[in-house]
Amino acid sequence: MKILVTGATSGLGRNAAESLLQQGHQVHATGRNQAAAQWLHQYQASFTALDLEQASVEQCVQLMQCCDAVWHCAAKSSAWGSWVEFYQVNVLATRKLTQAAGTAGVARFCGHR
């Protein structure tokens, strides 16, 4: 199974990508920190550096090409920041990804909680 993992350069996303790779899945990972994604290459994962807040729906559809599922782990979870920042990253980016998943025909979409 090929799975897109968002937020794969830290926290939950990194753990999700690592677990999926160890289980033998193909992973296309995305995150904002390209330097932190170097470990993905040793597991033969593909990586696209992308800030989902700035990405278009079309860019998100491209990320999902040939993917069977999306595991959405990207989020703003810090203890600081404005309501607008949290809304843009956590709500609008998730909405964009779900729209892209529908357009790309991705059968499964799992989000962070």
Side-chain angles (χ1 to χ4, degrees):
M1 181 178 276
K2 184 173 181 183
I3 303 168
L4 171 67
V5 178
T6 67
T9 56
S10 67
L12 178 62
R14 181 184 171 117
N15 291 337
E18 186 173 2
S19 176
L20 290 168
L21 288 163
Q22 289 174 351
Q23 293 174 43
H25 295 285
Q26 289 181 290
V27 171
H28 184 136
T30 188
R32 291 180 287 186
N33 187 345
Q34 192 164 358
Q38 293 303 317
W39 68 272
L40 289 162
H41 297 295
Q42 69 185 345
Y43 288 103
Q44 311 303 311
S46 60
F47 178 77
T48 301
L50 185 65
D51 182 343
L52 293 173
E53 182 183 354
Q54 304 299 319
S56 67
V57 172
E58 293 77 22
Q59 286 174 301
C60 293
V61 169
Q62 288 300 314
L63 283 175
M64 297 176 191
Q65 291 303 306
C66 302
C67 286
D68 302 298
V70 174
W71 192 344
H72 177 40
C73 301
K76 181 170 180 64
S77 59
S78 62
W80 59 89
S82 70
W83 182 89
V84 171
E85 290 174 317
F86 280 91
Y87 185 79
Q88 288 174 331
V89 173
N90 295 341
V91 176
L92 297 181
T94 301
R95 185 179 296 157
K96 199 180 317 180
L97 284 168
T98 57
Q99 181 181 354
T103 300
V106 174
R108 297 178 183 175
F109 189 101
C110 303
H112 52 79
R113 295 181 198 193

